[in-house]
Amino acid sequence: MSEQRPKYDPAAIEPERQRAWEQAGAYETPDPESGRSAVYVKPSSPFTSGNLHMGHVRDYSIGDAYARYRRALGDSVLLGFGFDAFGLPAEMAAIERNVAPAEWVVESGERMLEQMKRLGYSFDYDRVFYSSDESQYRWSQWLFVTLLEAGLVYRADTTVDWCDHCQTTLAALQVEDGRCWRCHNEVRLIKRPTWFLKVTPYLEENDRNLDGFENWNELALKTQRYILGRNEGVELELDGGEEAVTVFSPHPGAVAEGRFVLVSPRHPRVEEWAAEPEVRARLDELRSGGWERSARDARAVPVIDTGSSLRVEGGGELPIVISPIVDARYGPTAALAIPAADEADEAIAARVPRAEAAPPAPGLASIATRETTRYRATDFSIGRQRYWGTPIPVVNCESCGPVPVPVEQLPVVLPRDIKPTGEGNPLAERPDFLETECPRCGEPAERETDTLDCHFDALWLWVPAAVPPEDRGEQMFTHPDLRHWLPSERLVAGNDSGSFVFDQRAVTKALRDIGPFEFIADGEPFAGCLFHEMVVAGGRKMSKHLGNVVDPDELVAAHGADAVRLAILYAAGPAKTLNWNDGAMRFASRFLGGLWSYAIERFATVADVPRDEEAEEDTGFMRDRLAKWCENGIERIGADLDDLQMHKAVRNLTRFFDRIQDFEKRVVKRRGVLSRADAEAQAEALVLLLRALAPFAPHFSEGLLAAAGREEEIESLSLWPQPAESLS
Ligand SMILES: [Zn+2]
Ligand SMILES: [Zn+2]
């Protein structure tokens, strides 16, 4: 072993392999009509933040390994994504840098694509898109108009969450503990006309379908159930004057013991009951102060006694108390409070003298109830008073009111030369944008200046990658390829994507009912879904402020892309928060470095090992055992890949290598040296190991075979070994 063998040098190998892939068009999306099964692997859609973070690396390393594996199984694979490029994060970043968001977005995206290519992710880069491209957002506008016509988008004059700092309304899901998800300032409720997306018609179906999801991991299912917030119970009618009031209770057996009614501050009739000036003032205060929405702490949550009551048919009446605890538990509804059956109700009663003293209402004992379900999930606002978003395709006409822009006149183009300052909505100050004609009566009218929240773009952000870029202008939701690629076989996303996925599921059902997606019978965009937890460092979320940000570029420069990919996959199972540390990085570097030196030496010498019939016969049983080990190893790693349990697969790869080394040790122990048949069997085993490793460390497997002069075997790396292929 005196000869100098080429050392493992990822900095040399990786760019070379990447160039080869690009030249060969290795990861172009195949024709989905080839007859092979079409598998669409959908990684998360990144914001154009300008930098990949370790969470992305985790996401794409899982998705890429899975996509490579499915290709190796012979499937037609689409691995594609687009940037979530509109919205506050991009606009804020652009304001900070004093550039136009349009400029910032492209610059950031290009930089992130470079990083992805350097990490060796096998995306079809020709299919990458930006949600802020005109050719994209015209379809967001199409979707808006289509949903508006179907009654699933509506404008309501309602109280909405408002962030003073970001100068915009927020969706309920963007309010975390009473604070803005973006700037963490307190939000308050204001009243203004706002566009809403109606998801309530699909809550039950979203709920029901969860039971049949076989390829969804527990974490993904958990987020869907959490967002739904399902409560089983009964509802009953109380006399609310002109119109009856429907009241919910999760305690069907205890209805007769109801003492008062809790209503959400967002109940459509709340102002009627809060008519007293003093009560009204307190309600306004509650709305402007913001509240901790997730708080279920009945001892601290705001409560307002309205002084009003609801009559019970058959006798008695129930005081009305306003509290956002209703929203946190059942959504913006009204609930029968039963202190005897419900601890939270008991705690609230103790804080409201009129509720505590309320006598039983005898009518409740005989009142009719019906079984029902309440979901905490509810319609959400989609309009924003910001510049950087899809213009809402509506014209406000003095005589006709809000009129949707006809589909054939789309897109309503967003001026791209604006440098926002963060104050006001610059679209309202651009006459060239603002002034238009009413599509209905032809009179001068003004365009809607609200733009769509990027959450709306995200409703269909999983679709465009499945449509060839050259067709996207003409056909999007009706493109014939969609019938092959959809639903996506697997979504791989961070567990903070739960609300995106939930709303994508609702809108897919809407598009099924409206027509274009009628071929997706269950209305589910993702047949499988793997959610993973985040990556932290030192037990804490990575942040510039804490100085604990791990930079993927630095890791790649120091250890190579394959080692980084292997390390992040190895470090933790998807359902666990990954606490990044050097241990995983050291493990991956040591494994790859060790395998390289070991294999390159054996490949180089195998042809020189002398034949020895007697010895070969003597060690035949050992080669048989090695063959069994290979078969087992491949089978296990394949099963891990099927389940996207990449951390287990990496462990099984290391065991596979251990077994190959073990084989040599045992033969040497028995015979002193390897015979030719042993050395050949070992080299074959090493090639099988490289084939199993290829989805995780693709540069390495190819680079090693190339360095060993076994180029003709590189092609075998893109085929998953079959059991019959084990050692001859
Ligand atoms: Zn804010
Ligand atoms: Zn008009």
Side-chain angles (χ1 to χ4, degrees):
M1 301 208 179
S2 55
E3 249 179 275
Q4 277 295 316
R5 312 281 180 219
K7 285 247 171 341
Y8 176 43
D9 181 7
I13 296 167
E14 291 177 351
E16 194 184 313
R17 302 323 305 171
Q18 287 159 12
R19 270 193 301 275
W21 297 337
E22 197 166 339
Q23 273 162 20
Y27 306 119
E28 274 169 23
T29 307
D31 178 1
E33 290 193 53
S34 64
R36 292 178 291 161
S37 77
V39 174
Y40 172 17
V41 181
K42 167 76 180 73
S44 61
S45 301
F47 287 123
T48 39
S49 61
N51 263 309
L52 283 197
H53 55 66
M54 291 300 279
H56 293 126
V57 177
R58 188 178 199 187
D59 199 84
Y60 303 145
S61 296
I62 296 171
D64 186 58
Y66 184 64
R68 287 175 180 274
Y69 168 65
R70 294 301 301 249
R71 285 191 201 105
L73 288 178
D75 298 318
S76 291
V77 172
L78 162 60
L79 180 64
F81 77 98
F83 287 104
D84 195 352
F86 263 147
L88 267 182
E91 185 170 333
M92 293 301 206
I95 291 171
E96 220 169 88
R97 290 163 182 81
N98 193 30
V99 294
E103 227 174 281
W104 161 252
V105 153
V106 171
E107 198 183 295
S108 302
E110 278 172 7
R111 154 123 190 78
M112 291 166 83
L113 288 171
E114 280 312 307
Q115 291 180 292
M116 292 177 191
K117 288 178 184 169
R118 183 60 194 86
L119 276 152
Y121 298 132
S122 61
F123 295 120
D124 183 342
Y125 290 96
D126 290 339
R127 293 198 174 214
V128 170
F129 59 92
Y130 295 77
S131 62
S132 57
D133 286 347
E134 208 175 295
S135 57
Q136 279 302 127
Y137 70 69
R138 63 164 285 198
W139 293 107
S140 293
Q141 294 176 339
W142 174 90
L143 183 63
F144 179 93
V145 172
T146 302
L147 294 173
L148 181 71
E149 280 163 3
L152 294 170
V153 162
Y154 61 94
R155 190 154 86 152
D157 194 23
T158 182
T159 49
V160 288
D161 291 293
W162 173 268
C163 174
D164 283 316
H165 180 255
C166 300
Q167 288 285 303
T168 188
T169 56
L170 299 167
L173 284 164
Q174 294 170 328
V175 181
E176 294 159 355
D177 296 341
R179 289 173 184 276
C180 168
W181 69 296
R182 167 73 204 166
C183 70
H184 306 294
N185 277 320
E186 269 188 17
V187 302
R188 58 194 182 98
L189 284 171
I190 61 159
K191 198 152 189 175
R192 80 185 305 283
T194 304
W195 293 97
F196 278 84
L197 178 71
K198 197 171 188 170
V199 291
T200 38
Y202 295 107
L203 296 181
E204 270 186 71
E205 199 179 355
N206 265 12
D207 185 7
R208 206 166 51 235
N209 285 359
L210 291 176
D211 293 333
F213 284 173
E214 284 174 13
N215 288 327
W216 284 56
N217 72 340
E218 210 32 64
L219 193 57
L221 291 171
K222 213 169 93 186
T223 64
Q224 297 305 291
R225 294 209 168 91
Y226 177 77
I227 290 162
L228 268 169
R230 181 176 72 189
N231 295 275
E232 306 280 0
V234 291
E235 60 186 13
L236 47 98
E237 309 285 336
L238 298 177
D239 182 357
E242 276 177 30
E243 237 183 292
V245 179
T246 305
V247 176
F248 171 77
S249 171
H251 307 291
V255 167
E257 295 171 78
R259 286 295 188 277
F260 59 105
V261 171
L262 278 167
V263 299
S264 153
R266 301 203 285 179
H267 193 285
R269 292 177 65 182
V270 72
E271 278 166 28
E272 187 184 311
W273 301 317
E276 290 285 322
E278 196 196 326
V279 175
R280 180 60 206 245
R282 290 185 61 201
L283 177 60
D284 287 343
E285 193 191 321
L286 167 70
R287 285 171 170 171
S288 64
W291 66 66
E292 210 168 308
R293 225 168 270 274
S294 60
R296 289 161 171 249
D297 185 354
R299 288 157 307 185
V301 71
V303 288
I304 300 170
D305 182 1
T306 62
S308 318
S309 299
L310 291 171
R311 271 203 308 279
V312 184
E313 201 182 319
E317 53 178 41
L318 304 166
I320 302 174
V321 176
I322 300 169
S323 175
I325 197 170
V326 181
D327 301 69
R329 297 180 78 186
Y330 320 118
T333 186
L336 182 65
I338 312 174
D342 192 296
E343 269 179 43
D345 294 348
E346 189 185 6
I348 286 176
R351 297 171 56 202
V352 183
R354 199 166 65 103
E356 173 121 83
L364 282 177
S366 55
I367 203 160
T369 62
R370 48 184 185 270
E371 282 184 15
T372 187
T373 303
R374 282 284 186 284
Y375 294 104
R376 188 177 52 220
T378 184
D379 299 347
F380 56 90
S381 75
I382 51 176
R384 296 291 177 268
Q385 295 69 53
R386 303 294 306 201
Y387 155 60
W388 190 239
T390 298
I392 290 180
V394 163
V395 172
N396 293 312
C397 169
E398 252 178 49
S399 15
C400 312
V403 179
V405 175
V407 167
E408 58 280 7
Q409 287 175 27
L410 298 178
V412 175
V413 176
L414 183 75
R416 289 182 83 81
D417 55 351
I418 289 177
K419 259 196 219 175
T421 58
E423 277 168 33
N425 183 347
L427 290 179
E429 286 141 36
R430 283 280 295 246
D432 59 332
F433 175 83
L434 201 58
E435 291 166 10
T436 185
E437 284 171 6
C438 169
R440 194 166 294 160
C441 70
E443 291 296 306
E446 288 194 346
R447 290 198 187 283
E448 172 70 65
T449 56
D450 278 11
T451 53
L452 290 169
D453 183 51
C454 56
H455 196 89
F456 189 90
D457 303 319
L459 293 173
W460 68 286
L461 214 52
W462 53 283
V463 177
V467 176
E470 62 275 17
D471 295 350
R472 290 177 193 161
E474 290 303 307
Q475 270 180 310
M476 185 62 83
F477 292 90
T478 53
H479 196 280
D481 282 4
L482 294 182
R483 288 174 179 263
H484 298 282
W485 294 123
L486 304 189
S488 160
E489 199 274 345
R490 201 74 57 140
L491 170 72
V492 179
N495 80 334
D496 54 355
S497 314
S499 67
F500 287 96
V501 171
F502 188 84
D503 297 328
Q504 287 165 341
R505 295 178 55 218
V507 164
T508 305
K509 291 173 183 68
L511 288 171
R512 172 200 61 193
D513 296 345
I514 292 165
F517 285 174
E518 49 77 30
F519 63 95
I520 307 178
D522 65 358
E524 293 295 342
F526 310 112
C529 187
L530 180 95
F531 271 18
H532 56 81
E533 274 288 357
M534 62 200 301
V535 183
V536 302
R540 304 172 76 175
K541 197 168 173 169
M542 291 186 197
S543 80
K544 274 188 204 145
H545 167 68
L546 291 172
N548 64 346
V549 176
V550 178
D551 178 4
D553 289 352
E554 280 172 27
L555 290 176
V556 170
H559 308 278
D562 282 337
V564 172
R565 294 163 57 123
L566 216 54
I568 205 157
L569 293 175
Y570 167 80
K576 289 211 174 107
T577 299
L578 196 163
N579 194 4
W580 182 255
N581 62 66
D582 296 341
M585 202 59 257
R586 275 199 305 275
F587 152 81
S589 294
R590 205 185 313 126
F591 173 68
L592 292 179
L595 174 57
W596 180 282
S597 335
Y598 187 89
I600 204 117
E601 181 64 36
R602 270 79 188 161
F603 286 145
T605 52
V606 59
D608 303 329
V609 177
R611 297 214 173 268
D612 176 341
E613 257 178 50
E614 188 263 315
E616 286 175 12
E617 204 157 300
D618 185 39
T619 54
F621 75 101
M622 295 174 115
R623 291 194 297 279
D624 289 347
R625 199 185 298 157
L626 177 64
K628 258 269 144 312
W629 284 340
C630 289
E631 204 180 317
N632 280 343
I634 300 280
E635 199 179 301
R636 275 191 206 162
I637 295 160
D640 297 335
L641 276 159
D642 284 331
D643 294 341
L644 290 90
Q645 297 295 309
M646 308 308 179
H647 60 303
K648 289 188 187 163
V650 176
R651 279 181 180 79
N652 280 321
L653 283 163
T654 65
R655 279 187 201 121
F656 195 166
F657 182 34
D658 289 344
R659 298 285 185 152
I660 294 173
Q661 298 175 82
D662 209 38
F663 164 77
E664 181 178 299
K665 280 184 208 145
R666 285 171 195 234
V667 173
V668 169
K669 196 172 166 204
R670 188 178 177 89
R671 306 283 321 177
V673 288
L674 265 60
S675 68
R676 173 68 83 83
D678 298 328
E680 281 172 354
Q682 188 189 32
E684 274 183 59
L686 284 167
V687 173
L688 283 172
L689 172 57
L690 291 179
R691 287 169 70 180
L693 177 63
F696 308 92
H699 317 84
F700 178 93
S701 288
E702 291 187 13
L704 178 53
L705 288 177
R710 302 171 80 104
E711 282 90 351
E712 73 284 358
E713 283 174 291
I714 287 180
E715 224 179 286
S716 76
L717 295 172
S718 53
L719 294 173
W720 191 252
Q722 299 304 305
E725 279 185 72
S726 61
L727 306 187
S728 34

